[in-house]
């Protein structure tokens, strides 16, 4: 059963677009332009990935439920119910010394909870990390994570399939999307726990690996602010070079991005019932258009903070972002 919350606590029929980060939406729009991508990747997951993983989990992990770690199972069901996910994915506990979890599979998603998580997280933090994974599932991020691995592995041979999208822009799109998907799911987790500070606390635990009762959240929030307010110059350029090659944003950046979203008023609007629903009509061109300039703005903002002496490196990145924007615009034109 998924009815673990009263209806007035459910975000009934909520669309993932209600909380998704603009880079998440923009990159999804780019991937949607690749012919047959959805069909091919879904079949790849279903036949060559998801079934095999399910067998591995059944054989080597502990499937949780009402009789097996019931508090974690209840938190998982509650997270899914709050985001109005009708089908509760299977939940597995696996032995792994990192405080984290992961959503896997597309046709029948699964959630893998690392053993370290149940040792370190308190009840609110456990629900938060499970809410984060429920957000990945609602947004169908697993499918595009697989696309990321495929497209980054094919290199130059992928260019004809990408219909003219430059290779550097492909990498920027997919890696930026991967990081942005995490930011989207941090928002989903906050809609589940109803407290941005709990999400921030959870990210602090994931960053440090120690229980939150041993850490100082105020100091961690100050650390996040210091990271964002760092003086312009070479350090910020070095940070850009590091960030654009990563699949996950740094925890302090994730906290800053979450708080920026909360301060924008979007969190309160969703909580008051003003959100896009899955049943609402969607205009793919408008959706792509709303987010198409995200990459140019994102990278130019970082480059602007760099000193004049490193402008050439910055222009290279920003130029790739502009190519991506132009490529997307071309594909929004009427046939």
């Amino acid at each position: 059963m998924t009815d673990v919350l009263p209806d007035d606590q459910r975000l009934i029929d909520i669309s993932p677009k209600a909380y998704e980060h603009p880079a998440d939406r923009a990159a999804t729009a780019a991937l949607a332009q690749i012919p047959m991508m959805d069909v091919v990747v879904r079949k790849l997951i279903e036949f060559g990935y998801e079934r095999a993983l399910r067998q591995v989990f059944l054989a080597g992990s502990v499937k949780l439920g009402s009789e097996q770690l019931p508090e974690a199972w209840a938190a998982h069901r509650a997270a899914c119910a709050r985001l109005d996910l009708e089908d509760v994915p299977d939940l597995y506990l696996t032995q792994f010394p990192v405080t984290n979890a992961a959503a896997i599979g597309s046709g029948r998603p699964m959630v893998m909870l690392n053993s370290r998580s149940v040792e370190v997280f308190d009840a609110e933090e456990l629900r938060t990390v499970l809410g984060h994974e429920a957000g990945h599932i609602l947004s169908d991020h697993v499918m595009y994570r697989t696309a990321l691995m495929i497209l980054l592995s094919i290199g130059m041979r992928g260019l004809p399939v990408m219909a003219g999208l430059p290779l550097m822009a492909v990498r920027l799109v997919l890696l930026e999307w991967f990081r942005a998907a995490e930011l989207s799911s941090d928002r989903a987790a906050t809609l589940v726990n109803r407290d941005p500070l709990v999400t921030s606390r959870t990210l602090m635990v994931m960053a440090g690996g120690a229980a939150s009762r041993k850490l100082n959240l105020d100091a961690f929030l100050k650390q996040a602010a210091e990271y964002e307010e760092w003086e312009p110059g070479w350090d910020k350029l070095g940070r850009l070079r590091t960030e654009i090659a990563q699949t996950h944003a740094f925890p302090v950046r994730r906290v800053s991005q979450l708080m920026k979203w909360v301060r924008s008023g979007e969190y309160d609007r969703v909580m008051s019932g003003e959100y896009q629903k899955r049943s609402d009509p969607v205009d793919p061109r408008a959706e792509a258009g709303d987010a198409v300039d995200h990459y140019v703005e994102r990278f130019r903002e970082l480059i602007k903070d760099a000193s004049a002496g490193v402008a050439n490196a910055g222009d290279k990145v920003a130029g790739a972002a502009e190519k991506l924007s132009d490529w997307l615009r071309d594909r929004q034109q009427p046939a």
Side-chain angles (χ1 to χ4, degrees):
M1 294 177 60
T2 61
D3 190 16
V4 295
L5 290 172
D7 282 346
D8 62 353
Q9 292 189 37
R10 287 172 174 264
L11 295 170
I12 298 174
D13 197 34
I14 186 171
S15 167
K17 299 182 188 303
Y19 60 79
E20 285 173 343
H21 191 277
D24 188 350
R25 298 197 307 272
T28 300
L31 290 168
Q33 300 297 324
I34 303 172
M36 297 297 289
M37 172 59 70
D38 284 17
V39 174
V40 171
V41 174
R42 284 186 190 278
K43 290 299 182 184
L44 175 66
I45 293 173
E46 180 182 355
F47 294 110
Y49 175 70
E50 184 174 333
R51 292 183 180 184
L53 275 177
R54 191 175 298 277
Q55 292 300 311
V56 168
F57 286 144
L58 282 172
S61 300
V62 177
K63 187 176 182 179
L64 303 186
S66 58
E67 297 179 348
Q68 195 74 271
L69 209 59
E71 61 274 18
W73 176 243
H76 176 55
R77 291 171 61 203
C80 292
R82 189 151 278 176
L83 294 179
D84 205 25
L85 282 170
E86 294 183 0
D87 297 323
V88 178
D90 289 340
L91 178 64
Y92 291 90
L93 181 69
T94 189
Q95 185 174 342
F96 202 69
V98 176
T99 311
N100 213 332
I104 301 169
S106 181
R108 289 181 58 205
M110 302 164 281
V111 175
M112 179 186 68
L113 183 63
N114 293 351
S115 55
R116 177 70 175 166
S117 297
V118 298
E119 296 172 355
V120 177
F121 286 135
D122 65 23
E124 290 180 322
E125 294 155 7
L126 184 60
R127 180 175 292 195
T128 298
V129 78
L130 291 169
H132 179 99
E133 301 310 322
H136 278 313
I137 291 169
L138 183 57
S139 291
D140 211 2
H141 285 154
V142 175
M143 184 182 74
Y144 286 115
R145 281 184 175 186
T146 303
L148 169 67
M149 295 299 100
I150 295 171
L151 294 176
L152 289 183
S153 68
I154 60 178
M156 293 298 292
R157 289 175 297 166
L159 290 181
V161 178
M162 301 303 288
L165 181 59
L167 179 60
M168 185 175 181
V170 173
R171 292 178 179 273
L172 287 173
V173 170
L174 292 171
L175 289 171
E176 177 75 358
W177 169 79
F178 205 115
R179 294 187 297 273
E182 293 299 303
L183 302 180
S184 294
S185 289
D186 288 342
R187 296 175 178 184
T190 306
L191 296 176
V192 166
N193 65 34
R194 309 292 168 99
D195 189 342
L197 291 180
V198 171
T199 305
S200 299
R201 195 174 79 210
T202 305
L203 288 167
M204 177 182 67
V205 172
M206 293 174 68
S212 57
R213 67 180 182 276
K214 299 179 180 179
L215 301 173
N216 186 320
L217 179 58
D218 289 339
F220 187 68
L221 293 174
K222 181 180 178 182
Q223 176 184 336
E226 289 174 353
Y227 181 81
E228 290 295 331
E229 294 168 4
W230 196 270
E231 290 296 323
W234 282 99
D235 286 341
K236 279 206 169 182
L237 180 65
R239 180 190 300 179
L240 169 62
R241 287 172 171 166
T242 300
E243 287 181 346
I244 63 175
Q246 291 182 324
T247 56
H248 287 65
F250 292 119
V252 290
R253 174 169 169 74
R254 289 169 65 178
V255 169
S256 296
Q257 288 290 306
L258 175 66
M259 289 305 182
K260 183 177 180 180
W261 178 65
V262 171
R263 289 194 296 269
S264 74
E266 288 298 319
Y267 168 73
D268 288 332
R269 276 191 283 275
V270 173
M271 295 308 301
S272 67
E274 298 177 22
Y275 57 79
Q276 188 169 348
K277 298 186 176 182
R278 291 168 228 170
S279 55
D280 292 342
V282 176
D283 182 346
R285 288 182 179 175
E287 184 66 28
D290 288 343
V292 71
D293 290 328
H294 169 81
Y295 296 97
V296 175
E297 294 172 5
R298 155 92 165 120
F299 291 114
R300 283 206 178 281
E301 180 181 348
L302 289 168
I303 296 308
K304 183 173 65 176
D305 288 333
S307 63
V310 295
N312 289 339
D315 288 343
K316 184 177 181 181
V317 174
E322 287 176 333
K323 289 179 180 179
L324 166 64
S325 184
D326 292 342
W327 184 85
L328 279 170
R329 285 195 188 94
D330 290 343
R331 276 147 188 78
Q332 292 177 61
Q333 300 301 318

